[in-house]
Amino acid sequence: MAGRPEFAQIGWVVPNIYTALNFLSNTLGIAGFPPPEYIRAQDLDMTYYGKAVAGEWLTTQTYNGGTFIELIQPLSGQSMFHDYLAQHPAGGTQHIAFRLPVSDFDRVTSVLREQGYTVISEVDHPIARMAFFDTCQTLGVVTEIMGITPQGYTAIEQMQKAG
């Protein structure tokens, strides 16, 4: 089926990204994590329940066995990542992501909106449009839909080779 989302990523929110990296890299041997990157929601034009808010976190990800593993450590401000860590101080799986071509993004996200799923955050980035839906009552985690641009598919290929 054209434009069918494919599983792409698991996102863990953690209280200490360096502890998580040490475990995944040194204990489990999962390679390819670049150094954590400082992210500001404002730099991504990331919304939080439809509004621009200040939020900061560290993040890193690697490609492993067909899936991207993303680690996020909230630092300050507001975001869905901060909410998750406040509710789950030990951290855990906060979201799962599905990707598809950006041309199918509106069609898929419209279906989720029509079914009543609330958009927690949205990002419109040169490599992808992203929408995070509150599917916690249905799946136990947030669902991210990523509409990948041609630039994004190039970035994915580079990350896959690095991982």
Side-chain angles (χ1 to χ4, degrees), residues 19-81:
T19 300
L21 272 172
N22 182 52
F23 176 77
L24 291 170
S25 298
N26 297 327
T27 304
L28 296 183
I30 297 172
F33 282 103
E37 183 180 352
Y38 173 79
I39 302 290
R40 290 174 3 120
Q42 305 93 301
D43 295 340
L44 298 174
D45 293 324
M46 187 175 198
T47 62
Y48 175 73
Y49 292 105
K51 297 179 182 167
V53 296
E56 301 171 330
W57 54 89
L58 294 173
T59 188
T60 184
Q61 70 177 330
T62 190
Y63 183 76
N64 182 271
T67 301
F68 286 94
I69 299 170
E70 180 180 31
L71 300 174
I72 305 126
Q73 177 189 334
L75 297 174
S76 65
Q78 281 185 300
S79 73
M80 63 182 174
F81 310 126

Side-chain angles (χ1 to χ4, degrees), residues 64-147:
N64 182 271
T67 301
F68 286 94
I69 299 170
E70 180 180 31
L71 300 174
I72 305 126
Q73 177 189 334
L75 297 174
S76 65
Q78 281 185 300
S79 73
M80 63 182 174
F81 310 126
H82 293 79
D83 292 349
Y84 185 84
L85 198 56
Q87 294 170 357
H88 308 277
T93 303
Q94 186 267 342
H95 70 270
I96 54 172
F98 297 88
R99 70 175 171 233
L100 69 166
V102 71
S103 58
D104 292 314
F105 180 82
D106 287 332
R107 178 184 55 78
V108 171
T109 57
S110 292
V111 169
L112 289 163
R113 291 173 206 269
E114 289 167 11
Q115 291 180 2
Y117 292 104
T118 301
V119 175
I120 302 169
S121 288
E122 290 183 277
V123 176
D124 194 357
H125 191 274
I127 65 168
R129 289 180 64 194
M130 296 167 255
F132 295 84
F133 289 89
D134 184 348
T135 55
C136 293
Q137 293 300 314
T138 305
L139 296 176
V141 297
V142 168
T143 298
E144 177 185 6
I145 303 298
M146 299 187 294

